């Protein structure tokens, strides 16, 4: 559930930050600029959480999550089961 919430938060920030930035700059809606500025520390925090979770999975749980993130999927692969 935590992973799903962080993915949702990433999507909201990665779509919302450019939109609020454009609205604040071009439409001169200054209060939206404040929302835009608050998004940066949240995005940096999510990135740090993502890196920490990947390292935790790799070193503590000793599963292949980090390897799956680093290894590109070949064109003939059908999914995570093909990563070997």
């Amino acid at each position: 559930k935590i992973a799903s919430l962080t993915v949702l938060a990433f999507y909201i920030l990665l779509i919302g930050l450019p939109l609020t930035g454009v609205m604040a700059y071009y439409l001169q809606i200054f209060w939206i600029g404040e929302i835009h500025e608050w998004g940066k520390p949240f995005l940096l925090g999510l990135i740090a959480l993502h890196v920490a979770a990947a390292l935790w999975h790799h070193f503590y749980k000793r599963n292949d999550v980090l390897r799956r993130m680093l290894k590109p999927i070949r064109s003939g692969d059908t999914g995570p089961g093909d990563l070997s």
Side-chain angles (χ1 to χ4, degrees):
K1 293 188 185 257
I2 293 173
S4 297
L5 289 174
T6 56
V7 168
L8 178 64
F10 266 121
Y11 279 119
I12 289 170
L13 286 171
L14 291 175
I15 293 169
L17 284 175
L19 289 176
T20 56
V22 166
M23 289 180 359
Y25 184 77
Y26 289 110
L27 301 177
Q28 300 294 311
I29 305 172
F30 297 110
W31 64 270
I32 291 181
E34 295 294 323
I35 295 172
H36 176 78
E37 287 184 22
W38 275 95
K40 180 182 175 182
F42 284 111
L43 183 60
L44 291 175
L46 277 177
I47 292 169
L49 180 66
H50 187 76
V51 170
L55 293 173
W56 181 74
H57 273 276
H58 183 73
F59 290 112
Y60 182 73
K61 293 194 77 167
R62 299 200 183 274
N63 58 26
D64 65 341
V65 169
L66 188 60
R67 188 174 340 120
R68 288 188 311 182
M69 284 194 277
L70 295 175
K71 185 175 181 180
I73 295 178
R74 296 180 302 269
S75 62
D77 291 343
T78 58
D82 290 336
L83 297 176
S84 55

